[in-house]
Amino acid sequence: VAKGASISGFPEWLPSERVVEQRVIDTLREVFELNGFIGIETRAVEQGSSLLKKGETSKEIYLLSRLQEVGHESDTPIEDRLGLHFDLTVPLSRYVVEHSGDLAFPFKRWQIQKVWRGERPQEGRFREFVQADIDVIGNGDLPDHYEVELPLVMVSALERLREFGLPKATVHANNRKLSEGFYRGLGLTDVEGVLREIDKLDKIGADEVAKLLVEGCGADENQARACLELAELTAADGAELSGKFDTLCEKHGIANDSEAYVLARQGLDTLAMIVDEAARIRPGSVIADLKIARGLDYYTGSVYETFLDGAAALGSICSGGRYDNLASQGNRKYPGVGLSIGLSRLVSYMLHTAGAHANRVSPASVLVAVWNEEDRSASNQIANQLRARGIAADVAPTAAKLGKQIKYADKLGIPYVWFPADKSAQDASDEVKNIITGDQQPANAQSWEPDTVYAQQTVTVEA
């Protein structure tokens, strides 16, 4: 392939960068499994019918064609065509319905997989990227307490990534019912439209959003301002949130015996519980933020966005919420709550901003030297003895001059070079050299242990 033939938005990490990504994946998996989540993987493609109608992402779906169908795709309706999944929640809901007889509910699952979105690529925003999700899905019903527990699992996972240079993460939570009840109380009917415009607040500012609410959502000037006042409401705890919300309803004439207020109150109570419960377990990890709207249409209750201290440009790195109607079978519903980390964006941030890097490219801690090609089998045998004891080992590619073999080890960051004993000399023993310190010692492949400091392949952050 010609040099420079990279395709924008489809990242490929170098080996040393891949070490960082793999470490992040392993860490997340460990935290998810510590919390009882079960791993699954779903296929890359879904029917068009289940990928469409999911809000803002619909226009970014990649559809698949086989070569012999090119030019004839219009014969098949989009609903019947296959597309690459743009998230892991839509495939999960299909998976749960298909396998409901084999799963134990509530079903808590983790999934780390690639997804595809045809959006405009930029730093940290890709068209092919890895997501790391946790969801819990109920059969018929799902208790509210999961709406507290899942964001806290994500916070503890992100907390573990701080050693790789990630700043502190804070989850901002809102509730769809709270917003919807308030908008309806104001007399607005295009609830999804209002949520979609409010979601743009951080990007375009209050005045622009107010304009869009008036132009596209049937709001008058006062209603638009009221929506913005709700969005700006913040609170440190449930009681403050409740008080401020009631004051706002009074100001805009929303009676507390109206249907709209009752709906809003349900959302408010759940949100207050989330913030208060989270504060007990991990103060400051989850805060109420009423401008969080989320572009996807399937959320019905709590919604979450997660931001990193001092990394505003990165935007939300972990988001999700409660969805009650995504999966159903006959009259049975499978409500869920879940969060998703944009893992590729995080890795990109760690590599390019935080300076995370692997201490070496190769996972091997030892390179076994080869004196001449006839003796390669002896070097292979030493490497196999080391591997059998769990010590990662490689063998020199050629019986080149020793300096060249050491240089090869150095380039891959392999800390030890093993010299097999000279068979022609009496009582000669194998020797191993630490090429970082220069220290060289006699060694036996059955008992030698590398120094733990040099042996580990680790990810560190430039101070």
Side-chain angles (χ1 to χ4, degrees), residues 374-394:
E374 294 77 72
D375 295 338
R376 177 170 290 278
S377 63
S379 295
N380 286 339
Q381 197 181 347
I382 291 166
N384 282 331
Q385 287 175 323
L386 291 169
R387 290 169 190 148
R389 297 173 44 232
I391 298 167
D394 202 351

Side-chain angles (χ1 to χ4, degrees), residues 314-328:
L314 203 56
S316 171
I317 50 103
C318 169
S319 50
R322 167 96 186 210
Y323 46 92
D324 285 323
N325 309 318
L326 195 57
S328 57

Side-chain angles (χ1 to χ4, degrees), residues 89 134-136 150 154 299 304 319-323 336-340:
T89 315
I134 49 170
D135 286 75
V136 56
L150 269 81
M154 278 307 199
Y299 294 112
Y304 317 101
S319 50
R322 167 96 186 210
Y323 46 92
V337 55
L339 287 104
S340 170

